[in-house]
Amino acid sequence: MLRSLLVANRGEIARRIIRTARRLQIRTIAVYSEADAALPFVVEADEAVLIGPASPAQSYRNTEAILAAAKATGAEAIHPGYGFLSENAAFASAVEENGLIWVGPGPDAITAMGDKINARNLMAAAGVPVAPGTTDPARTADEALEAASGIGFPVMVKAAAGGGGMGMAVANDADGLRAEYDKVRGFAERMFGDGSVLIERYFPRVRHIEVQILGLADGRVIALGERECSVQRRNQKLAEETPSPALTPAQRADLLAAAVRAGEAVGYRNAGTVECLFDPAGGEFFFLEMNTRLQVEHPVTEAVFGVDLVEEQLRIASGLEPAFDPAALTVTGHAIELRVNAEDPKRFLPGPGAITTWVEPSGDGVRVDAGYAAGTTVTPNYDSLMAKLIVHGADRADALAKLRAAVAGFEVVGPKVNLPFFAELLDNAEFTSGDYDTGIVGRMREPKKG
């Protein structure tokens, strides 16, 4: 097992990684920006290194500063968490070139899956279902229109290098496509340095379901169930659960098998997630993208399988066998996660601020992964995620009951917080029935008639 680990991230995921590393007696090194000096993860690491000012470009995306910190502290490996540099193939290569161990998939896999068009084509060749769409970038609005005419409106206009729900728009007709194409292309050039755009069939009523995979040290790729991720605002997830209420056993088996084929197609190692769209009407699923890192929502998988995914990442990076028997994996109960964000619960606009009160819920089957505490401040420099509230119940009804009590017992004063939205969601008949899709939040926010 590794002896020392630098965590190239912040907030709740840095604390999460540090917690497992401490249990495994691995020395941990945190890196932090000036804005994060008072956050819990800085204190909880065995050693902490200031790497720059608040701006992510000058701190958490500053590869030179992170590598220098690793060298100065004698770190053996780097865990990137999620976001920031976690899916940056150049950084992964630089880590390995500096004689360090990268806790994640190899640079080749990151590169292969980082471009959505290339990923679609690879998956199609591997026999993984993909939605109708372009196999090459649409270089102009006219090319986009030509593609859409073959696919049929409505279509999704997507940045090929995008991720995290960014760089996506729906076009319902030719005029809308021209407008959205220019917007997405411009956004992609600014945000990702790559203006490539793909056109894909858009499903008005669809569910977003993903599969957790692990590429083991011995070369095997296995699947640890699926996660339902259809509660979203602006194509970004707010709540996740497992098992998905939407799938039949046969559909689940097909989905997991396809995800394993996806991992095998790129020689995948370490933790990754194969994201798919599921059309409930037709009972079909289509490959969306692969996230070559640990997901925000990994705790629900841990809850139902009894597996520590961060430990498994560290074991794979160390060349060790898994701590569990892959042939004996079984799902126990039901788990749901809510992303507690510093944002307005109505319009979901960021609402940073100083935290004066922070009271976490507790109890049987309740877990909170938090990046903040009372006396700390949510700044506008980073993502609005403050904590993840996870519950594990005997079944979905039990999990929902526990979650209602946990939401009621979670108190945050200072910044804006979306907990009132979750109380509303947990009282929503569509969600509680399990028969919902990615449009649920929009429908909840529609003006009430009469």
Side-chain angles (χ1 to χ4, degrees):
M1 179 58 75
L2 301 170
R3 297 181 300 276
S4 59
L5 178 71
L6 184 146
V7 182
N9 217 296
R10 62 179 298 279
E12 71 84 15
I13 191 58
R15 291 185 83 186
R16 165 73 190 88
I17 296 165
I18 289 168
R19 183 170 71 245
T20 287
R22 181 187 297 120
R23 178 172 62 78
L24 298 174
Q25 299 184 318
I26 299 171
R27 181 171 67 92
T28 56
I29 301 104
V31 292
Y32 66 97
S33 71
E34 292 172 353
D36 285 345
L39 291 192
F41 80 95
V42 177
V43 177
E44 291 170 355
D46 295 304
E47 193 170 351
V49 179
L50 175 65
I51 54 170
S55 166
Q58 296 175 283
S59 53
Y60 299 108
R61 295 187 189 276
N62 186 338
T63 60
E64 292 182 2
I66 293 171
L67 290 171
K71 182 177 180 181
T73 57
E76 185 180 5
I78 291 181
H79 193 310
Y82 55 72
F84 295 128
L85 296 169
S86 62
E87 294 180 282
N88 187 310
F91 181 58
S93 294
V95 168
E96 294 178 344
E97 289 165 3
N98 277 269
L100 301 167
I101 295 171
W102 171 253
V103 184
D108 289 347
I110 296 174
T111 298
M113 304 312 292
D115 182 289
K116 287 183 170 61
I117 294 175
N118 182 61
R120 276 175 48 89
N121 295 342
L122 278 172
M123 294 302 99
V128 179
V130 298
T134 51
T135 56
D136 295 299
R139 293 170 294 182
T140 65
D142 286 339
E143 286 190 8
L145 282 169
E146 184 178 352
S149 67
I151 298 168
F153 285 103
V155 295
M156 180 70 81
V157 187
K158 299 168 68 172
M166 296 188 295
M168 300 167 59
V170 177
N172 294 303
D173 52 35
D175 289 341
L177 178 54
R178 285 190 179 278
E180 298 299 347
Y181 176 88
D182 290 339
K183 289 178 186 177
V184 170
R185 185 177 181 85
F187 179 86
E189 289 173 346
R190 293 191 305 273
M191 289 296 295
F192 313 121
D194 181 349
S196 299
V197 173
L198 70 90
I199 308 300
E200 201 169 67
R201 179 182 170 190
Y202 174 69
F203 298 88
R205 298 294 294 266
V206 72
R207 299 182 76 131
H208 186 152
I209 303 176
E210 64 187 24
V211 178
Q212 175 70 59
I213 63 169
L214 281 178
L216 303 179
D218 64 9
R220 288 178 293 165
V221 177
I222 63 171
L224 285 84
E226 83 284 353
R227 294 184 288 253
E228 173 77 53
C229 306
S230 297
V231 180
Q232 304 179 1
R233 51 99 169 96
R234 296 189 293 276
N235 298 312
Q236 295 179 323
K237 303 164 189 172
L238 289 172
E240 301 93 0
E241 62 179 307
T242 188
S244 167
L247 299 178
T248 66
Q251 289 168 339
R252 177 172 290 110
D254 288 346
L255 178 63
L256 301 189
V260 168
R261 291 199 302 274
E264 291 172 341
V266 291
Y268 202 85
R269 298 293 176 271
N270 218 272
T273 298
V274 179
E275 303 208 21
C276 296
L277 296 178
F278 177 69
D279 177 15
E284 298 177 284
F285 63 88
F286 302 98
F287 172 81
L288 180 62
E289 64 182 358
M290 182 188 285
N291 289 316
T292 51
R293 54 168 168 79
L294 189 67
Q295 288 282 81
V296 177
E297 56 271 24
H298 75 272
V300 294
T301 298
E302 294 182 324
V304 299
F305 282 103
V307 169
D308 183 328
L309 289 172
V310 173
E311 176 180 355
E312 297 310 322
Q313 287 191 288
L314 297 172
R315 294 182 70 88
I316 292 166
S318 302
L320 301 176
E321 294 180 353
F324 61 92
D325 179 1
L329 279 174
T330 56
V331 172
T332 301
H334 196 97
I336 309 173
E337 174 184 293
L338 306 179
R339 301 191 187 194
V340 181
N341 296 332
E343 64 185 23
D344 165 27
K346 291 292 185 183
R347 296 183 296 163
F348 307 111
L349 298 176
I355 300 172
T356 57
T357 301
W358 181 278
V359 180
E360 297 178 4
S362 60
D364 177 47
V366 177
R367 166 179 165 181
V368 178
D369 285 9
Y372 296 85
T376 61
T377 299
V378 181
T379 70
N381 307 103
Y382 313 111
D383 185 87
S384 62
L385 180 67
M386 293 188 289
K388 301 182 310 201
L389 172 58
I390 306 103
V391 299
H392 182 213
D395 52 29
R396 191 170 189 265
D398 184 41
L400 287 170
K402 288 180 176 179
L403 195 52
R404 290 187 186 96
V407 167
F410 204 145
E411 185 181 5
V412 180
V413 178
K416 293 180 180 177
V417 64
N418 62 347
L419 286 166
F421 165 76
F422 290 126
E424 183 185 351
L425 177 71
L426 292 169
D427 195 36
N428 178 275
E430 188 178 341
F431 180 74
T432 56
S433 72
D435 185 17
Y436 63 97
D437 57 55
T438 56
I440 183 172
V441 175
R443 290 189 290 276
M444 288 173 65
R445 290 291 172 261
E446 288 176 355
K448 290 182 173 58
K449 297 179 180 178

